[in-house]
Amino acid sequence: MNAYILVLAGFGALVLLTAWLPMLLKELPLSLPIFCVGLGAVIFSLPPVPGIAPHPQEHLAITERLTEFIVIIALMGAGLKLDRPLAWASCMLTWRLLGIAMPLTIAALAILGHTLLGLGAATAILLAASLAPTDPVLASDVQVGPPGEGMEDEVRFTLTSEAGLNDGLAFPFVNLAVALALASQSGEPWLLHWLSVDVIWKLGAGVAMGWVVGRSLGWLTFRLPNRAKLSRTGDGFVALGITCLAYGLTEMVHGYGFLAVFVAALGLRSVERNHEYHEKLHDFVEQLERLLMMVLLVIFGGALAEGGLLILNWQVVLYAILAIFLVRPLIGWISLLGRDQKWDEKAVISFFGIRGLGSAYYLAYGLNHASFEEPHLLWGTMGLIVLISIVLHGTTVTPIMRYLDRQRQKGGDAADAAGPTHVEPAPASALSSHRTG
């Protein structure tokens, strides 16, 4: 049989599954990523197929680019979802996860990598930094709903904004590992360059470029005179153009493109926050993201089953269990101490540190930019952690989020039963500002 025809038929089936499966799995404790990984494992285990399942280490450049593309698509989708502005005062849970939980998680995972896996400092940091960010691709089930739907409770908002920002904020730590690896070979000083370029410049450029691109394109889309108003096109694929433009321009000035894409989405929303066009942009991004996710997770399943990606020695298994069940939940909980939040909501935020395709990108990026020891061990450890995360979080997300929604509804019903409370009328200027914002 012609291989091209076989691939074409398989791709057609995958597209149909992309559209139909979410509806079929909606009421089950089973997520789309679990199905995709299982499908890949089955396909690549069939008699005509074994031997062709790819290992990411053998295709580093392709792995880096494919995972890079799906992550930036997911980051645009995450940014477009957020109805609430990402302000300092109203997003303290997010800032704590980014400023406290993520650095502590990297430190803990690096120490575990050195003590359990026997990795050197640079390699342990690379693995830890790759595993630190939560994944915007696989975390859609715990994120807020589409623009304007109002599904934006504190848990979903925090997990969405964290996933949108920490993929960019993990980059300095990945570059720290690269700098250490290069310095160990050349002996050249690295600290000043890393602080000035990889931390200060690239983070600043990512935020600035993302905001400028998002605000500028938002003005062109929503503020031009009515006849030329670009939002009237109704074309959702404009979101793809915004994504690639923000990412490309930021990378040209050596900033962090991941950060810029998410900030660009926030900037676009800030120009005209409640316009219905945001829904069309988000819908296109979501469909494209889901299709790309299915393709990559099917390949991931094949690499686990037949590509030699999965490593199951006791050190790797123990590292994965500690990373998933201890490090993220414990450090996440510690970072939220002192906040006036219900204990069950804190527990859910701490528990859903989903790992996924973003980790594969960072590992491929690091291995492409410097020489690290034990690359197959790094891939095997990352693969096992992502697999556990997909299965664990995929099977628990539906019942846990439903439990939180029921608790929230009970709290609302109790407040209604207590009777109305007196609310001071807002100043006229504030009401006017809200209507025009």
Side-chain angles (χ1 to χ4, degrees), residues 14 17-18 20-40 135 137-143 290 293-294 297-298 300 351-352 354-356 386-402:
L14 196 62
L17 289 173
T18 302
W20 294 339
L21 270 177
M23 299 173 62
L24 299 175
L25 301 175
K26 192 173 183 181
E27 300 301 320
L28 299 175
L30 183 68
S31 68
L32 184 60
I34 295 176
F35 179 88
C36 295
V37 174
L39 179 64
D135 193 77
V137 182
L138 304 184
S140 59
D141 289 334
V142 295
Q143 292 182 356
R290 197 161 69 230
M293 178 196 71
M294 287 195 69
L297 287 183
V298 166
F300 175 67
F351 174 71
F352 280 109
I354 299 174
R355 269 58 183 168
V386 171
L387 176 62
I388 293 174
S389 182
I390 287 174
V391 174
L392 174 67
H393 296 123
T395 54
T396 57
V397 61
T398 299
I400 288 178
M401 297 311 288
R402 282 180 177 172

Side-chain angles (χ1 to χ4, degrees), residues 331-392:
I331 293 179
W333 182 274
I334 290 172
S335 71
L336 301 180
L337 290 177
R339 296 301 302 172
D340 185 18
Q341 203 73 28
K342 294 180 180 178
W343 71 267
D344 52 357
E345 294 185 348
K346 287 182 182 178
V348 171
I349 292 172
S350 304
F351 174 71
F352 280 109
I354 299 174
R355 269 58 183 168
L357 297 174
S359 296
Y361 167 77
Y362 277 123
L363 195 52
Y365 173 90
L367 293 171
N368 258 331
H369 285 77
S371 178
F372 292 90
E373 60 190 294
E374 301 280 3
H376 279 79
L377 178 62
L378 299 181
W379 281 113
T381 306
M382 185 279 300
L384 180 60
I385 289 174
V386 171
L387 176 62
I388 293 174
S389 182
I390 287 174
V391 174
L392 174 67

Side-chain angles (χ1 to χ4, degrees), residues 397-417:
V397 61
T398 299
I400 288 178
M401 297 311 288
R402 282 180 177 172
Y403 163 79
L404 279 187
D405 291 338
R406 287 196 301 269
Q407 294 300 110
R408 215 173 284 115
Q409 186 176 7
K410 288 179 182 177
D413 292 343
D416 292 340

Side-chain angles (χ1 to χ4, degrees), residues 113 117 119 122-132 319 363 378 381-382:
L117 304 179
L119 302 175
T123 308
I125 292 173
L126 174 63
L127 178 60
S130 300
L131 294 171
Y319 183 95
L363 195 52
L378 299 181
T381 306
M382 185 279 300

